[in-house]
Amino acid sequence: MILFNIRKIFIAFFCFAFAVLGSSHAKAQNNNDELYFHRLLYKQTSFDYNSIVASDMIYSNNQEFSDIAIKYSGEYGTYHRPQTAKNQTGYIFDAQGCVIPSEKIYMGGGFHFSQNYKNSVRFNSLIDPYRGTPYQLADSTDSNWRIQNYSMWTKLATEIIDKKLSAGVFLSLNVARGAKMIDPRPKSNNNRIEAVPSLTLNLGKNRIGGAFVYERFNELTNFILYNTSETQKIYAFKGLGQYTFDIFSTTERERRYDGHGIGGMISYRYRENNFEIDIQGKYTNYGEEVSDIENNKPRLRGKYFSDKYFAIVDFKLYGDNFLNQIKIIPDINKESGKEIIQIYNSSENVNAWQTDSEAPNRWKGNKKNFKAVYSLKSLSSDKNYSPYGIEVGYQNKSFDEKYEVMDTYINFKNNIISLSPEMNTLLGNHLLASFKLNGEYCIVTDFNANYKEREEDNPTVKEMFFDKETDILSQNYYSLGGAASIGYSFDNGNSLIMNVDYKYLRTENGFYRHYPLISLSYNF
């Protein structure tokens, strides 16, 4: 009932918000078939478009827009990690937009809903088993998941000292729920809240911003056993396939995840004539407690910690009829886990679980991702429309996880190169078309892995989880794909766009994956 009411609130709020956004700037648009491509170039190249430092928006080259889209997505094939689906489909509704009532006010927001059907899933009791925590309850039963996701965000900014200082806030809420269809039937619900208040100082050619970051996460997982005559083996993962296990024969088992994160962001921009550089950095310290409900009391099982470092450097150089853009993006996540053993004290004075021992840093993770992208776009005479473009990318990923006491580890590096040409054109009679090709090649280097079994007479986790994980992560692969869009531009500048996107991935050992995506969007 609560989720149903939330859904009604979301729908009512965004129907009203986008009706306001549409009416607020539809009158200002003229009869211009290129307007859709103007917005497309803005979304592709604007640094602030995806930034969560909202106060920066006051001193940015913004465009008003509203987008509503319905989508179908799919993933099919043998190339997938062991806790993800062999096949999955999703039905998606997206809406977003912004309005600029004056030079001193910026308002933006968005809403997302998706219904996902994930088939043939193992070792999973969470909405997203790869979000970080190693402390997961899992079973080896092959089953299907049904997951719903709701999210909404808003970005608001206003100037508080004329031409000098602005304030803003970014707020987001993400809610998801999912359930497995076969015993032991985990049912999970989670929510994440993020708040980022910010200030920006404008110094003419220079712009300096700062923000405080707060996030709150909660996930509750219930294992439900409908057929109590057949017991189920539950693995309590501790990282990299290391586990303890229980025989689950009662009707329900509950696990709770409670996390908090705090951090900060800085942003800097220098702009002069046809040159612009944007720099942004973010640090977040996050901690999460994992507890089971036993004897109607919380029993602490572990703690997950992470330090996240993220930065982006964006260079733009404009010519008479071209735009050069370079992005450099380092992303680092240092993780660790603390195992906690508690014993129940049933005395009248205590009647609670008490900590007997703690084992910090038994599991450690270190993930690094460095990405560099160069793009060259041709520009129309007004520099708002790009008929042709090409993008070249390089990515280096390193993945290092270990569970030292059991001498279990995975570490590797891979290098990914990509190439993406695109074309945007007017076909006449208000018809629009876009075409894009995508190619990618990945080479894995320095791959090492080792697993020490807890139960040598029960190789289930080793063979179906750890070995599967190493098989997938160690693969060199290539992918080929493309996207084609056809649209109609109305007299008032609004447009209706049909897009078909497809990617095919294949590895050196014959694993493969298909990624189709179909969408219908209305832009105004």
Side-chain angles (χ1 to χ4, degrees):
M1 180 63 70
I2 293 176
L3 284 174
F4 180 72
N5 290 334
I6 291 175
R7 187 189 307 181
K8 290 196 296 183
I9 292 171
F10 281 174
I11 293 172
F13 174 81
F14 279 94
C15 285
F16 171 76
F18 285 101
V20 172
L21 288 174
S23 63
S24 65
H25 64 84
K27 294 179 181 178
Q29 297 169 349
N30 54 31
N31 192 359
N32 187 349
D33 287 346
E34 296 181 356
L35 190 55
Y36 168 76
F37 293 128
H38 293 184
R39 299 187 190 117
L40 182 62
L41 181 64
Y42 165 71
K43 295 172 187 177
Q44 290 177 339
T45 61
S46 171
F47 181 84
D48 293 324
Y49 173 68
N50 291 313
S51 173
I52 61 175
V53 183
S55 56
D56 286 350
M57 304 304 296
I58 295 297
Y59 308 114
S60 181
N61 293 326
N62 303 307
Q63 289 190 25
E64 292 185 327
F65 70 93
S66 295
D67 298 331
I68 297 176
I70 53 174
K71 305 176 183 178
Y72 164 82
S73 67
E75 291 187 27
Y76 310 96
T78 56
Y79 183 79
H80 66 97
R81 297 175 71 176
Q83 290 177 280
T84 60
K86 180 178 180 181
N87 302 310
Q88 66 181 48
T89 57
Y91 301 91
I92 304 161
F93 172 79
D94 275 322
Q96 62 174 327
C98 77
V99 62
I100 309 169
S102 71
E103 292 182 356
K104 298 184 178 182
I105 299 176
Y106 176 93
M107 302 170 61
F111 173 72
H112 168 92
F113 168 77
S114 64
Q115 176 78 48
N116 299 291
Y117 300 87
K118 301 188 175 186
N119 299 326
S120 191
V121 183
R122 299 179 187 270
F123 301 109
N124 184 15
S125 62
L126 301 179
I127 299 294
D128 179 8
Y130 291 102
R131 63 176 174 80
T133 178
Y135 303 114
Q136 304 180 28
L137 294 177
D139 67 282
S140 60
T141 306
D142 188 318
S143 183
N144 300 334
W145 273 78
R146 302 292 181 264
I147 297 176
Q148 289 183 339
N149 291 274
Y150 309 83
S151 64
M152 58 187 295
W153 62 269
T154 186
K155 189 157 51 173
L156 306 171
T158 185
E159 196 167 53
I160 55 179
I161 299 179
D162 187 40
K163 306 298 182 182
K164 293 295 182 183
L165 185 67
S166 62
V169 63
F170 172 84
L171 300 170
S172 69
L173 169 65
N174 297 274
V175 178
R177 62 179 184 179
K180 188 177 177 182
M181 302 293 105
I182 296 177
D183 277 359
R185 299 177 192 260
K187 181 174 67 174
S188 186
N189 295 275
N190 72 25
N191 62 81
R192 183 185 298 274
I193 298 172
E194 186 176 24
V196 186
S198 58
L199 291 172
T200 296
L201 181 64
N202 182 34
L203 302 173
K205 296 179 182 180
N206 297 276
R207 185 190 74 181
I208 302 171
F212 172 77
V213 178
Y214 172 77
E215 60 180 279
R216 174 79 173 87
F217 177 80
N218 173 267
E219 184 158 5
L220 178 63
T221 296
N222 287 313
F223 274 82
I224 301 172
L225 195 64
Y226 284 4
N227 184 3
T228 56
S229 64
E230 293 187 15
T231 59
Q232 300 281 337
K233 188 170 185 177
I234 302 296
Y235 301 94
F237 280 180
K238 302 184 293 183
L240 282 174
Q242 296 300 322
Y243 64 91
T244 59
F245 73 88
D246 294 319
I247 301 299
F248 180 38
S249 59
T250 58
T251 57
E252 190 169 351
R253 177 165 178 169
E254 181 177 290
R255 173 160 286 196
R256 182 181 296 273
Y257 303 81
D258 293 292
H260 296 268
I262 58 172
M265 297 183 68
I266 57 172
S267 65
Y268 171 76
R269 165 174 290 174
Y270 176 80
R271 178 188 292 158
E272 183 175 10
N273 298 326
N274 293 327
F275 174 75
E276 180 182 310
I277 180 171
D278 288 279
I279 302 173
Q280 191 172 94
K282 180 182 180 183
Y283 167 74
T284 308
N285 176 264
Y286 180 79
E288 187 172 296
E289 289 190 346
V290 184
S291 58
D292 292 338
I293 304 300
E294 297 185 18
N295 296 328
N296 294 318
K297 304 287 184 180
R299 181 182 182 181
L300 194 59
R301 292 291 198 171
K303 294 183 179 181
Y304 164 74
F305 306 96
S306 75
D307 289 289
K308 300 177 183 178
Y309 305 84
F310 174 84
I312 179 169
V313 181
D314 187 315
F315 300 89
K316 294 189 187 74
L317 179 63
Y318 287 88
D320 292 336
N321 56 2
F322 66 87
L323 166 62
N324 287 287
Q325 185 172 16
I326 299 174
K327 291 183 181 180
I328 300 172
I329 308 171
D331 188 358
I332 300 172
N333 189 9
K334 296 182 177 180
E335 306 167 289
S336 65
K338 178 188 288 187
E339 294 175 23
I340 298 173
I341 297 175
Q342 291 194 325
I343 298 175
Y344 188 68
N345 186 335
S346 60
S347 65
E348 292 184 5
N349 294 333
V350 180
N351 191 28
W353 291 94
Q354 293 184 315
T355 299
D356 179 69
S357 63
E358 296 184 358
N361 295 319
R362 281 198 170 177
W363 171 84
K364 294 181 181 179
N366 193 0
K367 300 179 179 68
K368 298 179 181 179
N369 186 9
F370 174 83
K371 187 176 183 180
V373 179
Y374 168 74
S375 65
L376 174 64
K377 294 182 181 295
S378 64
L379 297 178
S380 58
S381 57
D382 59 4
K383 297 187 178 182
N384 284 325
Y385 169 33
S386 175
Y388 301 97
I390 188 168
E391 182 176 285
V392 180
Y394 168 75
Q395 192 170 4
N396 176 272
K397 292 183 178 181
S398 66
F399 181 99
D400 183 6
E401 285 193 46
K402 54 188 174 182
Y403 193 90
E404 291 181 325
V405 71
M406 294 294 288
D407 192 31
T408 297
Y409 56 83
I410 298 177
N411 58 75
F412 73 92
K413 294 180 181 179
N414 64 18
N415 296 276
I416 304 170
I417 56 175
S418 60
L419 180 66
S420 301
E422 67 173 332
M423 179 180 72
N424 303 302
T425 185
L426 297 168
L427 302 178
N429 298 321
H430 298 296
L431 292 180
L432 316 169
S434 295
F435 305 96
K436 187 173 185 178
L437 298 176
N438 300 294
E440 188 176 87
Y441 185 68
C442 172
I443 302 174
V444 178
T445 59
D446 301 326
F447 187 90
N448 296 284
N450 185 63
Y451 184 78
K452 187 173 181 180
E453 293 184 78
R454 181 184 184 275
E455 302 174 83
E456 294 186 357
D457 59 342
N458 181 10
T460 301
V461 172
K462 178 184 183 301
E463 294 177 357
M464 299 175 64
F465 178 81
F466 190 86
D467 290 349
K468 172 71 172 178
E469 184 87 330
T470 56
D471 282 347
I472 293 298
L473 295 178
S474 63
Q475 294 288 308
N476 297 334
Y477 68 81
Y478 71 87
S479 70
L480 297 172
S485 300
I486 188 76
Y488 183 83
S489 177
F490 298 94
D491 289 338
N492 61 1
N494 300 346
S495 55
L496 182 67
I497 307 294
M498 180 72 178
N499 179 76
V500 177
D501 194 312
Y502 173 77
K503 183 176 81 170
Y504 174 74
L505 183 150
R506 190 170 185 86
T507 75
E508 59 183 341
N509 289 344
F511 294 112
Y512 64 93
R513 198 80 169 163
H514 301 276
Y515 301 87
L517 174 65
I518 301 172
S519 65
L520 179 66
S521 63
Y522 185 66
N523 315 107
F524 55 100

